[in-house]
Amino acid sequence: MADFGGAEQDAFRTEVRAWLEANYPAELRDADAKTDPEAVWGGRAFADKESDPQVVWMRRVAEKGWTAPAWPKEYGGGGLSAQEARIVEQELARGRHRPPLLSFGLWMLGPVLLEYASEEQKREHLPKIVRGEIRWCQGYSEPGAGSDLASLATRCEDKGGHWQIDGQKVWTSYADKADWCFCLVRTDATKKHEGISFVLIDMRTEGVETRPIRLISGESPFCETFFTGVKIPKGNLVGRLNGGWEIAKRLLQYERQNISAGFGEGGSAGGASGDLAEIARSYDALTYDGGELRTRITRNKMDFQALRLTIARSAAESRAGNGPSAATSIIKFAAAELAKERSELMIEAMGSQGLGWTGEGFSTPELTAVRGWLRTKANSIEGGTSEVNLNVVAKRVLGLPDPK
């Protein structure tokens, strides 16, 4: 459907709002609803949780195709125009509905499958992503290939009737909970960038092992992932053999776009812990600082608002064109820096109460603050380090030459 004018747009918005109101489970309207916090990610682990209200919500939205509203209907999506899809997103945020599905399949894999996969692969994997039936993880980084990702060494050998994979990945988010992995592997050891392929791996395959990594925050969202003699079908190669680097770069653009979207309109990343100025006032932090803290908080709030407007403009350009561009590296870098600055300001405003880790004498927000501060350090690493993103900006946006 083509973009439409004011009256049609208002009618569609009213229709979306009414559907969301009618189909949002009553249990989720209660802020204290006791539901599985992981259910929203879907996957095989939740296939039998028919009564979980978050699963009910996910499946109702997926049946409409609105977990991926702009994807083609033949692959399970909503088949909506960019403008209609935007209205669905706005109404979900306006009504403070819980996200129906969080998914690396939606944010990263699905878009590149639409661009690079065979028709058979699209029909096999995209509907399952839309319905939240498969939970995906990303097999990119390795112990010896982080920022220099093209140095990856995980081998993928042609064994005639199948591919065999041997190697290791690291910092694989939620690999221990994932059903499948989209993975970069080396299919030609004589070339660097041109020797990489993009494959799909069922995590139940014999020879796949995951080991959670315990972080300083006490959480373990990342894993080491080992592949030992893992056999996958020939049909699990996406795109052309040794053409994976092009797909990898495109997927990273979608990843950076998604990370940055958390700071945009309707996102919570820029203000998940409350209003900075209110926090500073509640701790009497603005009384004795001579205006310096007040100025820094105000500047951070203004910068975040500028970032949100930039994200909205970039998203509109992406919807109107051919997806995200290298400009996502600008936004991702800025979002990471502002998130770190905001968290540091919050700790400073709380004073010694912002240093609590456990025990009595600290409120829940105070105990959360220092862990949130630690987590923001990852913002400048995930989706490509800040240094990598600045290099992308220099080369792809500014057109600067490589250093001699």
Side-chain angles (χ1 to χ4, degrees), residues 5-48:
E8 292 172 301
Q9 180 175 320
D10 290 343
F12 182 72
R13 186 180 297 277
T14 299
E15 177 187 334
V16 171
R17 188 173 298 179
W19 189 92
L20 294 175
E21 178 65 23
N23 286 276
Y24 194 57
E27 300 93 327
L28 300 186
R29 300 176 194 276
D30 179 3
D32 297 323
K34 303 298 183 183
T35 55
D36 190 329
E38 289 295 319
V40 75
W41 286 88
R44 292 169 178 156
F46 301 96
D48 60 349

Side-chain angles (χ1 to χ4, degrees), residues 153-167 184-189 195 197 199 201 227-234 237 241-242:
T154 295
R155 302 188 314 280
C156 179
E157 299 176 289
D158 188 343
K159 295 297 184 179
H162 63 270
W163 300 108
Q164 179 172 309
I165 300 173
D166 292 273
L184 293 180
V185 293
R186 182 155 300 285
T187 43
D188 187 340
S197 295
V199 299
I201 304 171
F227 302 105
T228 306
V230 174
K231 300 176 182 179
I232 65 170
K234 284 294 190 70
L237 171 71
L241 182 65
N242 297 323

Side-chain angles (χ1 to χ4, degrees), residues 52-350:
D52 187 307
Q54 287 191 128
V55 175
V56 171
W57 174 231
M58 176 186 72
R59 290 178 178 166
R60 287 177 181 174
V61 178
E63 188 175 354
K64 291 280 287 185
W66 285 0
T67 52
W71 288 11
K73 282 190 173 182
E74 59 262 40
Y75 305 129
L80 303 183
S81 69
Q83 189 176 356
E84 290 171 320
R86 179 62 176 153
I87 289 173
V88 171
E89 294 168 1
Q90 289 173 337
E91 289 304 310
L92 280 166
R94 184 204 64 81
R96 302 184 68 82
H97 301 94
R98 298 190 188 189
L101 177 62
L102 304 179
S103 168
F104 294 155
L106 289 176
W107 303 330
M108 295 184 277
L109 177 62
V112 298
L113 289 182
L114 284 168
E115 290 187 47
Y116 294 96
S118 67
E119 185 64 22
E120 182 179 359
Q121 289 170 333
K122 292 176 185 178
R123 293 190 179 277
E124 169 65 22
H125 296 291
L126 290 173
K128 293 177 182 178
I129 291 174
V130 172
R131 296 192 297 263
E133 294 178 3
I134 299 296
R135 182 170 180 173
W136 290 84
C137 64
Q138 178 184 16
Y140 270 33
S141 297
E142 298 183 4
S147 295
D148 185 13
L149 181 59
S151 293
L152 65 91
T154 295
R155 302 188 314 280
C156 179
E157 299 176 289
D158 188 343
K159 295 297 184 179
H162 63 270
W163 300 108
Q164 179 172 309
I165 300 173
D166 292 273
Q168 178 187 355
K169 299 291 178 177
V170 73
W171 309 120
T172 319
S173 299
Y174 307 113
D176 56 332
K177 296 179 174 63
D179 305 308
W180 279 68
C181 177
F182 50 94
C183 191
L184 293 180
V185 293
R186 182 155 300 285
T187 43
D188 187 340
T190 67
K191 300 176 182 178
K192 190 174 182 180
H193 297 81
E194 295 80 10
I196 294 171
S197 295
F198 190 98
V199 299
L200 309 177
I201 304 171
D202 188 332
M203 297 292 280
R204 295 183 301 185
T205 307
E206 184 179 356
V208 178
E209 178 189 0
T210 60
R211 299 176 190 171
I213 302 170
R214 187 171 179 84
L215 306 182
I216 192 173
S217 65
E219 298 178 348
S220 300
F222 303 113
C223 295
E224 295 177 287
T225 305
F226 299 88
F227 302 105
T228 306
V230 174
K231 300 176 182 179
I232 65 170
K234 284 294 190 70
N236 286 19
L237 171 71
V238 178
R240 59 183 178 83
L241 182 65
N242 297 323
W245 188 245
E246 178 184 351
I247 301 176
K249 291 190 296 181
R250 186 62 165 160
L251 187 142
L252 283 170
Q253 288 183 333
Y254 283 108
E255 181 178 8
R256 290 161 186 160
Q257 182 184 59
N258 176 70
I259 292 171
S260 301
F263 297 90
E265 180 185 359
S268 61
S273 301
D275 183 84
L276 261 181
E278 290 298 326
I279 291 172
R281 278 193 287 268
S282 68
Y283 285 87
D284 206 24
L286 303 178
T287 304
Y288 308 106
D289 79 316
E292 192 265 344
L293 180 60
R294 184 190 304 269
T295 298
R296 289 160 56 208
I297 289 175
T298 301
R299 184 182 299 116
N300 183 265
K301 289 172 67 68
M302 292 172 64
D303 287 344
F304 257 120
Q305 181 59 22
L307 174 65
R308 291 187 179 102
L309 293 172
T310 303
I311 290 171
R313 185 177 71 250
S314 177
E317 292 171 351
S318 175
R319 290 191 293 270
N322 297 312
S325 68
T328 56
S329 290
I330 300 175
I331 296 171
K332 198 272 179 178
F333 171 78
E337 293 305 303
L338 289 176
K340 288 192 292 184
E341 180 183 79
R342 185 183 193 282
S343 190
E344 288 163 1
L345 286 168
M346 184 179 301
I347 294 290
E348 185 173 342
M350 289 180 172

